[in-house]
Amino acid sequence: MSTARLTAHAEPTDPPRSSPGLDVRDLEKRTRLMRIITRLIAVSDLGSREIARRAGLPMQKISDLLSGKLEHLSVDEMRLVYHSIDTSGTPTPP
């Protein structure tokens, strides 16, 4: 019997399945930050190496961010990247 078949017959009262360490609010915050940062990177004249240098992060972290690997960066690291790109004085994203 397949897993999909078992899942399809789950009762509405069954608790939702969760992954350990997965916080939906944190994931939503990281996703919003990633979208903002990738847009800023797209319109900036800065390369990934320069952004990594300014943020004080390894180049791999910027690469992971651009690849959508949110689990590899903390919210604080993403904010560092944001501030290293955005110098216009706009408010900090959520």
Side-chain angles (χ1 to χ4, degrees):
M1 187 179 282
S2 76
T3 306
R5 189 171 183 185
L6 288 174
T7 306
H9 297 292
E11 293 295 320
T13 57
D14 289 347
R17 294 183 182 182
S18 63
S19 299
L22 176 65
D23 179 13
V24 175
R25 286 183 215 109
D26 183 55
L27 188 58
E28 288 173 347
K29 185 182 284 188
R30 288 176 189 222
T31 303
R32 280 192 301 263
L33 276 169
M34 182 200 67
R35 287 179 179 166
I36 292 167
I37 291 167
T38 54
R39 287 180 190 146
L40 284 173
I41 290 172
V43 298
S44 78
D45 293 330
L46 301 172
S48 296
R49 284 194 176 127
E50 178 63 19
I51 293 167
R53 187 191 64 75
R54 288 182 179 195
L57 297 171
M59 177 61 193
Q60 185 61 44
K61 294 273 188 172
I62 305 302
S63 183
D64 289 342
L65 175 68
L66 294 173
S67 299
K69 298 177 182 175
L70 299 177
E71 67 277 5
H72 293 202
L73 286 100
S74 68
V75 172
D76 290 335
E77 288 174 327
M78 294 177 84
R79 284 188 177 138
L80 280 172
V81 174
Y82 173 82
H83 288 296
S84 69
I85 301 167
D86 185 47
T87 58
S88 65
T90 55
T92 303

